[in-house]
Amino acid sequence: MVGYKRTTRPWWIRISGIGSLLAGLSLTAAACGSTASGASGSTGQGVPAGYATFALHTGDSFSWVLPLPNEANFEPWNQNAEYGMYRPLYVAGNGSSPVIDYGRSLANPPTYNSTNTSVTVTLKPYKWSDGQPVTTRDVQFFWNLYVANKTNIASYVPGNFPDNVSKFTVNSPSSFTLTLKAPVNPVWFTDNELTDMFPLPQQTWDRTSLSGKVGNYDMTTSGAKAVFKFLDQQSSHLATYATNPLWKVVDGPWVIQSYDPVTGRVVFRRNDKFSGPLPRLAGYVLETYSSQTAEVDALRNGQLDYGFLPNSDYQLAGSLRAHGYTIAPWATAYVQWAELGYTSKRYGPLVRELYIRQALQHLVNEPLYLKATLHGNGQLTYGPVPNTPGSPYVTPQEKTDPYPYSVSAAKSLLASHGWTVHNGVFTCSAPGVGPNKCGAGIAPNEALSLLLMYGSGNSTLSAQVEAFATAAKAAGIRITLDPQTQNTMFSIGGVCPPGPCNWGIILYRTFMWNYGQGDVLPTGGQMFGKGNYWGGGYSNSTAQTLIQDTHTQPGLQPLYNYENYISSHVAALWFPTWDWQISVVSTKLHGWKPQQIFGDPTPSRWYF
């Protein structure tokens, strides 16, 4: 485990009204900060003619080419690039609509039997870049690898795909059928299960070494494990991305042309043998930056076609417009939340208590954060379903705050459950289980103290967590702030569960991708279901039943029941959801509107 540094709150934060004023001032300062010049990004390497440049968020870089993600690389920017090379059966997100884009998908709409216990998929006539047809053998290859190695694949949730499938049947080179173990909700299975399947080039990848012959190794469990191990190892060799022959065979519109393993800068060229509509660009470049300052400098210098403006530099929008850019907030169907360390030995007993989670939620001043730090570019968040305008999935309950900002309400909840204030911090004076008790596993005289790990290098996020910690201090809760780089956060937070969870709360810059490719209908199985990866180990039998109902029962009422429960149960701490970014796009670049609902820039649509 990577080591990390603890930090303490600045000495000038106080519980008094002056402290509250300072918190508000810190938010305003973050919103009005300026950018200094002098930093450098990756754009100095030159861009070929006919190529467009796109800026990844600060600290992000393309670091995984194999479209079978491990936990350390299960990230949206990786998936966006992967699916430009290896297209899934069904592509999530059609422009600004949270639905499947059947036009860009490799298969026709699926057909279910009358009892919803089997589904048949028919492939469109696509070809690999080596001229071989994309067939059901390639889907079977994916299936065999996934089934044999599912516990090593980050998208796997026990009970979901492939556990809910009893049989994979090849009907023809263009058709296959999945026999299901029980009836399913067809919308859920299509949107959240079939979107996670894609053909892999069996004729190239079904091997156990680069020098070995291609075979049918995947047809046995041991062979599928050996092939997966080989492919996984090859994907970890970043320096060979542009030269490894494995990654040259694609069925999508792009193929890697060059890759810088130091900066993560990657150049994609057009796959001229792509079976779908050919991109009008000759290629595109994913640019990487070590700081927001470097990215803004690249915009100022005209080195980027498609970048972003940090919230802390929002005042530069007018100047960038005057220099040939369009400013366009990018709203996405995501949800921002802070994970809670349910499986932590130290912090778990605290966050497992509902009244403590309710008290903490009372200390998140969402309206202030949205106005002062995000300039209104985002949505208020009160539960697990994206509160995007016009969404048919959000209930009336989730459109209003069940735990509005109130320091006094937080203090009242704690006092009524056996906590008393000593030296400004609540301590447990009534240990045990039952009414007016602190709760299971909370020791006598234990202080209500939590470690909050959050993404460093972003003044907007820093302002939010500092304001939250200030409010918590006013309520008698000690929050220790622990800023970390995103990679460090993944290495520490990403192993929990199963653990250890050496944090009480963890908050990323944005929660990035609760929904999108692989999880279109916001039913929450990957987030708050048993064995979840992003829920901090949240586990609740009622929630599990409600989630299962969304998988098996038709209509939207099961979804509404689930989201209302998770919202009121405070399965996570809800924070305002940021727009994915404030995009800054050259007026010379076209085809990028509307910005895709799940954060995929879809460069195959761009043109100059």
Side-chain angles (χ1 to χ4, degrees):
M1 178 173 291
V2 179
Y4 58 101
K5 178 178 66 178
R6 299 181 185 274
T7 61
T8 56
R9 296 289 294 117
W11 62 269
W12 45 264
I13 294 297
R14 293 288 183 264
I15 300 177
S16 65
I18 294 177
S20 299
L21 175 62
L22 286 171
L25 289 174
S26 70
L27 289 169
T28 304
C32 300
S34 61
T35 298
S37 61
S40 61
S42 64
T43 50
Q45 301 180 40
V47 179
Y51 285 56
T53 53
F54 179 84
L56 292 176
H57 289 168
T58 305
D60 296 347
S61 64
F62 177 59
S63 59
W64 195 253
V65 65
L66 179 66
L68 292 168
N70 59 25
E71 290 186 350
N73 295 281
F74 195 26
E75 298 151 342
W77 53 92
N78 280 327
Q79 277 201 317
N80 291 341
E82 288 165 5
Y83 291 135
M85 296 181 287
Y86 308 104
R87 184 152 286 184
L89 290 178
Y90 298 105
V91 175
N94 190 351
S96 58
S97 299
V99 297
I100 290 176
D101 186 346
Y102 285 106
R104 295 174 59 224
S105 298
L106 288 184
N108 295 314
T111 302
Y112 290 80
N113 66 357
S114 60
T115 57
N116 296 324
T117 54
S118 73
V119 56
T120 297
V121 174
T122 302
L123 301 177
K124 297 176 183 178
Y126 272 72
K127 290 187 176 181
W128 296 103
S129 54
D130 64 0
Q132 295 296 312
V134 176
T135 70
T136 49
R137 178 67 180 98
D138 299 312
V139 184
Q140 183 185 42
F141 178 57
F142 161 82
W143 165 263
N144 290 338
L145 293 186
Y146 202 110
V147 169
N149 301 278
K150 61 186 181 181
T151 57
N152 295 314
I153 298 174
S155 56
Y156 170 69
V157 174
N160 287 1
F161 179 87
D163 296 348
N164 50 14
V165 179
S166 62
K167 188 178 181 181
F168 181 105
T169 303
V170 173
N171 305 319
S172 73
S174 62
S175 172
F176 69 91
T177 296
L178 299 178
T179 303
L180 310 177
K181 293 182 179 179
V184 297
N185 174 357
V187 176
W188 168 76
F189 195 85
T190 300
D191 285 8
N192 291 17
E193 305 284 84
L194 295 181
T195 49
D196 213 19
M197 296 184 68
F198 37 85
L200 299 177
Q202 186 271 336
Q203 78 280 6
T204 303
W205 287 10
D206 198 354
R207 62 176 77 205
T208 58
S209 69
L210 275 177
S211 59
K213 293 182 178 180
V214 172
N216 291 303
Y217 305 107
D218 67 298
M219 299 301 285
T220 67
T221 299
S222 60
K225 288 181 178 292
V227 172
F228 178 84
K229 181 179 179 181
F230 162 67
L231 294 173
D232 189 79
Q233 290 174 339
Q234 293 299 302
S235 188
S236 68
H237 299 158
L238 277 63
T240 67
Y241 275 8
T243 57
N244 193 320
L246 293 173
W247 319 132
K248 298 298 184 182
V249 180
V250 300
D251 61 356
W254 306 106
V255 65
I256 296 176
Q257 177 175 320
S258 66
Y259 183 88
D260 188 329
V262 176
T263 65
R265 182 183 194 254
V266 56
V267 179
F268 293 91
R269 63 170 174 80
R270 181 175 59 215
N271 168 23
D272 289 327
K273 296 182 179 179
F274 179 53
S275 300
L278 281 179
R280 295 170 66 175
L281 292 177
Y284 77 100
V285 184
L286 292 180
E287 301 284 8
T288 60
Y289 298 92
S290 59
S291 69
Q292 293 179 342
T293 298
E295 190 271 343
V296 172
D297 281 349
L299 288 171
R300 286 170 157 172
N301 295 330
Q303 296 174 317
L304 269 173
D305 298 306
Y306 200 151
F308 64 90
L309 187 60
N311 286 290
S312 56
D313 290 301
Y314 194 68
Q315 79 283 356
L316 297 176
S319 174
L320 290 168
R321 286 192 187 97
H323 286 82
Y325 286 104
T326 298
I327 309 298
W330 189 344
T332 47
Y334 293 159
V335 178
Q336 171 75 329
W337 66 59
E339 284 182 82
L340 297 167
Y342 290 97
T343 61
S344 169
K345 290 183 179 180
R346 177 175 178 182
Y347 303 111
L350 297 174
V351 300
R352 285 196 292 268
E353 293 295 327
L354 174 58
Y355 74 89
I356 290 180
R357 301 199 301 273
Q358 292 171 329
L360 291 170
Q361 189 63 59
H362 273 303
L363 303 174
V364 182
N365 194 340
E366 288 203 45
L368 176 63
Y369 302 172
L370 180 63
K371 178 181 178 181
T373 71
L374 300 175
H375 310 281
N377 295 318
Q379 293 86 40
L380 296 171
T381 303
Y382 304 127
V385 172
N387 195 11
T388 46
S391 171
Y393 304 133
V394 184
T395 64
Q397 175 178 318
E398 206 179 328
K399 292 180 180 179
T400 59
D401 194 347
Y403 306 107
Y405 178 74
S406 173
V407 171
S408 61
K411 294 173 70 174
S412 178
L413 276 167
L414 297 172
S416 67
H417 285 83
W419 295 82
T420 55
V421 176
H422 294 281
N423 298 320
V425 179
F426 270 112
T427 59
C428 177
S429 56
V433 179
N436 307 318
K437 300 290 186 179
C438 299
I442 299 176
N445 301 316
E446 179 177 347
L448 185 43
S449 177
L450 296 165
L451 177 72
L452 194 166
M453 186 187 304
Y454 69 96
S456 61
N458 187 291
S459 58
T460 300
L461 185 62
S462 295
Q464 291 185 10
V465 298
E466 287 172 7
F468 171 69
T470 300
K473 186 173 184 179
I477 302 173
R478 182 188 299 126
I479 301 292
T480 301
L481 296 181
D482 185 22
Q484 295 293 339
T485 66
Q486 187 148 276
N487 285 340
T488 299
M489 289 178 68
F490 279 134
S491 69
I492 296 173
V495 299
C496 174
C501 300
N502 293 321
W503 41 269
I505 308 170
I506 190 167
L507 181 61
Y508 296 87
R509 185 198 67 82
T510 63
F511 209 73
M512 300 172 297
W513 67 325
N514 321 93
Y515 307 105
Q517 186 63 49
D519 210 354
V520 180
L521 194 70
T523 58
Q526 290 196 17
M527 278 61 72
F528 297 112
K530 184 178 180 180
N532 66 76
Y533 177 60
W534 289 115
Y538 175 84
S539 182
N540 179 275
S541 59
T542 299
Q544 189 65 28
T545 298
L546 294 173
I547 290 171
Q548 190 61 29
D549 288 345
T550 68
H551 297 179
T552 59
Q553 298 181 13
L556 291 178
Q557 190 58 49
L559 174 66
Y560 297 157
N561 296 340
Y562 149 76
E563 67 180 279
N564 286 344
Y565 180 82
I566 292 292
S567 171
S568 61
H569 207 237
V570 200
L573 292 186
W574 315 115
F575 275 68
T577 299
W578 308 23
D579 284 348
W580 178 249
Q581 65 183 30
I582 302 170
S583 295
V584 183
V585 189
S586 169
T587 54
K588 297 178 181 179
L589 187 66
H590 304 279
W592 56 273
K593 293 187 290 187
Q595 297 185 96
Q596 204 254 13
I597 191 68
F598 294 123
D600 186 347
T602 57
S604 59
R605 298 185 292 125
W606 303 348
Y607 63 94
F608 287 113

